[in-house]
């Protein structure tokens, strides 16, 4: 018997669950060549150096498994039944578009598919590393094939056939063999060539671009690290509990908030990995990208270029490396090539230049405007307060500065200024507000109610904590409208939900994001685990998770709900309900809401800006519905021309509404957008029509009941209710 076999037998007899058992499981995991004799029939050529698991990773695996089972909000065990789901999630991460592996490869991995549950309990990482090494080898093979094709000259490619290529392959069957993958990759390269030709590039430039792209990806594949495999596998594992639970590698843990690392210095964007791409999750209010205006949520980054340097293709890069590349000295410029969220295929890109800067607290601060409306011979003055995020200057607060900035403090001042201006009502604009400090959401609700509960928080043990506003004073007791959209999340949803439950105001816009969970970051022996431990519930008992806040009056949005929002994420925690807590109901809108909606719909039926929005939404939905794109050059040019003409028509219609001259060509439009983006502070845009519609809804409220302002603020009309 070998030393390894002796040690395996010794450790296998020891129980797992105590301190000695923990070490035994780690040792056993590292000594075993494969779980229960499972060994996929995979040959890894010597030119690729397979990555191997470490002792620290095995220990971290066991710690992660325990924390998920015993401290996560979702009650889920690391069972044998979990194996298949983890395997599929892992493959989605490594080859989500099914362009590297064949069905033959999947068949070779079939034994591993069934053992990942037991492996995850004991820290046995070799099966998962086998999968990773196979995928890396297949990536290398595909990239070499692509480079050979490009180096042989793209002039040999035939663009006169009726071939098509599928836009999204995530749900397609695996290709049967290498020959089928060769055909698929030839189509992928033809698609890339056609797109670049339509953007004006000649064959020489296209070949150079593609060569640099594939050589860069090939270099990354050869530089695969053990930590890459471990992080991918652990995140496939943790995602079974929910999409916000994730593993941070030691390098990521140096700044565990790596997804937010650009919010303080850089471009001001929250990024995350999305298969081979780095995807924009949201923009930081007041940040360079938000002010520049071209980068949008769900855009995917293809390449990054520094000033006066060639672009670096970042497809397949690790998130932290992309972040490092985008970061840079303040006032320097970075150029991003992105696939727009509205693009019909991955080769339709646009270039965005952003000047780096630090996001300043004052640029995220709440601000006010006043709009004047004339309705049926009556004039209305409506105050507008825009809140980009829920913020607080914690350092100044801890230092005892009596004038420290916070959302609630700033909004209170703005309310007083609007009251001095004798406004008839206030519109609170929380669109694109991704949340922030929870206590600020609680305090902000308190500005509009006497006192009472604002949100409930339930932990994994079903213990419920109720946050309350204990200040009986009210900063504003007049009529209120709250604007939200799909990017309103977390603290924004708490505020909007509370205002809705209290009958304190109307919520207008589109369904919010649905982020109703709370995460904590916990240290491991190797990296950190961000784990979901609690869930938000409204005072009426319904969760903000998954469903978000449904507006009383809906306004459609350009954003794609199938790609943005909690309900678009795999394994998101479901909506549920707990007991309501007693709270005041200030006004019952049920008797007038139908009339308010009817008035709103009549206005929008004749509103040219709304009609243009509808046209844009229809155009985007039509683009999103495209499953295939043609590889026929003539057909592609025709389709491209139709899309460009529609874009130009929409842009010119908006120009005409603003009293501006239309553009003659799309190039003129793009040049104008670049000029605007280069100096985002140079323009003073009017309040958009959604805010004005919020004002009109306010005017409807006042017209229906001239006494509403006093009714809302008068305690004698308040009804104490235990929300049903």
């Amino acid at each position: 018997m070998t030393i390894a076999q002796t040690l395996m037998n010794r450790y296998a007899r020891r129980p797992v669950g105590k301190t000695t058992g923990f070490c035994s499981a780690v040792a056993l995991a590292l000594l075993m060549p494969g779980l229960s004799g499972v060994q996929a029939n995979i040959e890894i050529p010597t030119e690729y150096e397979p990555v191997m698991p470490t002792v620290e990773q095995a220990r971290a695996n066991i710690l992660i498994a325990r924390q998920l089972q015993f401290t996560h909000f979702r009650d889920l065990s690391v069972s044998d039944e979990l194996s298949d789901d983890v395997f599929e999630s892992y493959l989605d991460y490594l080859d989500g578009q099914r362009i590297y592996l064949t069905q033959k490869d999947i068949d070779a991995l079939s034994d591993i598919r069934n053992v990942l549950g037991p492996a995850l309990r004991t820290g046995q990482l070799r099966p998962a590393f086998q999968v990773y090494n196979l995928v890396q080898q297949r990536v290398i093979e595909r990239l070499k094939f692509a480079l050979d094709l490009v180096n042989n000259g793209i002039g040999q490619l035939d663009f006169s056939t009726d071939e098509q290529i599928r836009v999204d392959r995530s749900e397609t069957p695996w290709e049967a063999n290498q020959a089928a993958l060769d055909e698929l990759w030839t189509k992928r390269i033809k698609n890339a060539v056609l797109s670049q030709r339509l953007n004006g590039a000649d064959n020489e430039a296209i070949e150079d671009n593609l060569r640099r792209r594939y050589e860069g990806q090939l270099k990354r594949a050869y530089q695969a690290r053990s930590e890459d495999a471990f992080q991918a596998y652990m995140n496939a594992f943790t995602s079974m509990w929910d999409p916000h639970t994730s593993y941070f590698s030691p390098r990521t843990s140096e700044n565990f908030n790596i997804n937010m690392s650009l919010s303080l210095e850089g471009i001001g964007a929250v990024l995350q990995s999305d298969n081979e791409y780095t995807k924009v999750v949201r923009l930081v209010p007041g940040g360079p990208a938000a002010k520049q205006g071209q980068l949008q949520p769900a855009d995917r980054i293809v390449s990054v270029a520094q000033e006066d340097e060639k672009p670096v293709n970042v497809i397949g890069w690790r998130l932290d490396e992309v972040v490092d590349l985008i970061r840079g000295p303040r006032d320097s410029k970075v150029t991003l090539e992105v696939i727009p969220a509205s693009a019909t295929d991955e080769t339709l890109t646009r270039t965005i230049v952003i000047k780096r800067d630090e996001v300043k607290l004052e640029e995220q601060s709440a601000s006010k405007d006043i709009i004047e409306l004339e309705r049926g011979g009556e004039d209305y003055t409506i105050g507008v307060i825009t809140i980009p995020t829920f913020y607080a200057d914690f350092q100044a607060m801890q230092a005892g500065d009596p004038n420290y900035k916070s959302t609630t403090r700033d909004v209170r001042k703005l309310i007083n200024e609007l009251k001095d201006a004798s406004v008839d009502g206030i519109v609170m604009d929380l669109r694109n507000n991704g949340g922030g400090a929870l206590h600020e959401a609680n305090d902000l609700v308190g500005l509009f109610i006497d006192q009472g509960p604002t949100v409930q928080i339930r932990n994994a043990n079903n213990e419920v904590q109720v946050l309350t506003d204990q200040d009986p004073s009210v900063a504003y007791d007049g009529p209120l409208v709250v604007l939200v959209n799909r990017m309103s999340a977390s603290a924004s949803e708490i505020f909007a939900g509370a205002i809705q439950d209290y009958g304190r105001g109307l919520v207008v816009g589109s369904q919010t994001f649905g982020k109703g969970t709370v995460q904590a970051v916990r240290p491991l022996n190797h990296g950190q685990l961000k784990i979901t431990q609690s869930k938000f519930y409204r005072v009426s008992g319904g969760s903000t998770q998954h469903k978000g806040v449904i507006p009383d009056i809906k306004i459609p949005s350009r954003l794609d709900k199938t790609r943005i929002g909690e309900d678009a994420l795999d394994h998101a925690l479901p909506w549920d309900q707990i007991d309501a807590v007693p709270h005041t109901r200030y006004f019952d809108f049920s008797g007038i809401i139908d009339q308010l909606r009817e008035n709103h719909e009549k206005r929008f039926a004749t509103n040219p800006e709304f009609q243009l929005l509808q046209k844009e939404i229809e155009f985007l939905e039509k683009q999103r519905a495209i499953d295939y794109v043609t590889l026929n050059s003539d057909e592609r040019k025709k389709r491209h021309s139709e899309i460009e003409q529609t874009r130009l028509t929409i842009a010119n219609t908006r120009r005409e509404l603003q009293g501006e001259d239309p553009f003659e060509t799309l190039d003129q439009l793009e040049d104008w957008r670049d000029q605007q983006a280069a100096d985002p502070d140079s323009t003073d845009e009017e309040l958009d029509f959604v805010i004005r519609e919020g004002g009109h809804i306010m005017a409807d409220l006042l017209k229906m009941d001239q006494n509403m302002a006093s009714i809302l603020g008068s305690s004698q009309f308040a009804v104490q209710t235990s929300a049903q």
Side-chain angles (χ1 to χ4, degrees), residues 181-210:
L181 273 185
D182 287 349
E183 183 179 347
L184 170 63
W185 273 77
T186 301
K187 288 183 176 181
R188 284 172 56 84
I189 293 169
K190 290 173 72 172
N191 188 35
V193 171
L194 272 179
S195 293
Q196 293 193 41
R197 281 182 180 173
L198 291 173
N199 288 330
D202 58 25
N203 281 2
E204 182 179 354
I206 294 171
E207 288 178 1
D208 181 58
N209 290 338
L210 293 178

Side-chain angles (χ1 to χ4, degrees), residues 113 295 514 594 674:
R113 175 190 290 272
L295 195 66
D594 288 342
D674 290 342

Side-chain angles (χ1 to χ4, degrees), residues 96-99 166-175 184:
Q97 287 297 307
R98 305 192 173 192
I99 58 176
R166 193 174 185 88
V167 175
D168 179 7
R169 290 182 45 82
S170 60
E171 301 296 332
T172 60
W174 299 95
E175 297 294 347
L184 170 63

Side-chain angles (χ1 to χ4, degrees), residues 48 51 93 132 136 216-232 235 249 251-252 258-259 261 271-279 301 304 313-326:
Y48 168 70
V51 296
Y93 183 88
Y132 184 86
Q136 286 303 108
Q217 292 180 50
L218 189 60
K219 180 181 178 181
R220 310 306 299 179
Y222 277 122
Q223 293 175 344
R225 305 177 306 186
S226 174
E227 198 57 46
D228 298 332
F230 182 65
Q231 182 161 286
N235 279 321
S249 69
R251 178 178 177 182
T252 303
I258 191 67
N259 287 351
S261 63
L271 308 177
Q272 72 178 26
S273 295
D274 181 28
N275 291 319
E276 295 182 303
Y277 293 99
T278 297
K279 184 174 75 173
I301 299 173
V304 180
N313 187 279
V314 296
I315 298 175
W317 280 39
R318 292 177 284 271
L319 176 63
D320 55 352
E321 293 180 332
V322 178
V323 169
D324 288 343
L325 198 60
I326 295 176

Side-chain angles (χ1 to χ4, degrees), residues 393-547:
D393 189 342
F394 292 105
Q395 289 184 342
M397 187 190 308
Q398 293 171 353
D401 183 351
N403 299 314
Y404 73 87
K405 286 183 65 64
S406 76
T407 300
T408 306
R409 283 170 162 245
D410 289 348
V411 170
R412 185 188 293 273
K413 293 176 184 176
L414 297 176
I415 287 174
N416 289 334
E417 292 171 7
L418 291 174
K419 287 165 68 175
D420 289 342
S422 301
V423 297
D424 297 305
I426 291 180
V427 174
M428 301 283 287
D429 187 3
L430 270 66
R431 292 173 301 165
N432 303 316
N433 184 322
L438 173 60
H439 76 271
E440 286 299 319
N442 175 70
D443 293 347
L444 191 67
V445 174
L447 297 183
F448 302 93
I449 65 172
D450 294 330
Q451 61 185 71
T454 60
V455 65
Q456 303 184 76
I457 306 172
R458 180 164 72 103
N459 65 22
N461 296 324
N462 288 324
E463 298 169 335
V464 178
Q465 175 190 8
V466 180
L467 299 189
T468 62
D469 165 48
Q470 298 179 348
D471 184 355
S473 65
V474 177
Y476 177 71
D477 59 7
L480 186 67
V481 168
V482 180
L483 299 180
V484 295
N485 66 1
R486 190 61 165 177
M487 297 307 297
S488 304
S490 194
S492 293
E493 296 174 292
I494 291 172
F495 177 82
I499 293 299
Q500 195 176 56
D501 288 342
Y502 273 91
R504 184 57 192 84
L506 283 174
V507 178
V508 176
S510 54
Q511 180 183 7
T512 60
F513 192 94
K515 170 66 164 63
T517 56
V518 185
Q519 287 73 41
V521 177
R522 297 179 179 173
L524 303 168
N525 67 298
H526 184 78
Q528 293 176 307
L529 177 67
K530 179 163 71 79
I531 187 169
T532 297
Q533 60 181 17
S534 307
K535 201 171 179 181
F536 290 131
Y537 294 83
R538 293 162 59 156
V539 295
S540 57
S543 176
T544 57
Q545 168 63 17
H546 205 277
K547 184 185 291 187

Side-chain angles (χ1 to χ4, degrees), residues 213-278:
R213 175 188 300 182
Y214 296 134
E215 285 177 348
Q217 292 180 50
L218 189 60
K219 180 181 178 181
R220 310 306 299 179
Y222 277 122
Q223 293 175 344
R225 305 177 306 186
S226 174
E227 198 57 46
D228 298 332
F230 182 65
Q231 182 161 286
Y233 182 44
M234 285 301 100
N235 279 321
F237 176 39
T238 60
S239 70
M240 296 296 99
W241 274 257
D242 85 303
H244 302 291
T245 295
S246 58
Y247 167 73
F248 293 160
S249 69
R251 178 178 177 182
T252 303
S253 296
E254 292 175 5
N255 181 1
F256 72 85
N257 207 12
I258 191 67
N259 287 351
M260 292 289 289
S261 63
L262 296 182
S263 67
L264 298 179
E265 183 177 74
I267 64 170
V270 181
L271 308 177
Q272 72 178 26
S273 295
D274 181 28
N275 291 319
E276 295 182 303
Y277 293 99
T278 297

Side-chain angles (χ1 to χ4, degrees), residues 558-622:
R558 299 180 186 88
L559 296 176
D560 184 1
K561 287 177 59 176
T562 65
R563 299 181 63 182
I564 299 174
E566 190 76 7
D567 54 3
L569 302 175
D570 292 334
H571 305 291
L573 290 177
W575 179 90
D576 64 338
Q577 192 160 3
I578 61 175
D579 292 338
V581 289
H583 59 279
T584 299
R585 184 77 179 173
Y586 286 88
F587 189 82
D588 182 3
F589 290 98
S590 61
I592 61 173
I593 191 64
D594 288 342
Q595 185 62 53
L596 290 170
R597 289 171 182 156
E598 183 180 338
N599 292 351
H600 159 73
E601 289 167 2
K602 285 180 179 178
R603 269 193 305 274
F604 266 23
T606 58
N607 185 315
E609 292 176 289
F610 178 70
Q611 292 171 349
L612 179 60
L613 173 64
Q614 289 284 62
K615 185 175 181 179
E616 284 186 274
I617 292 173
E618 291 169 5
F619 170 68
L620 291 172
E621 288 178 346
K622 186 176 180 181

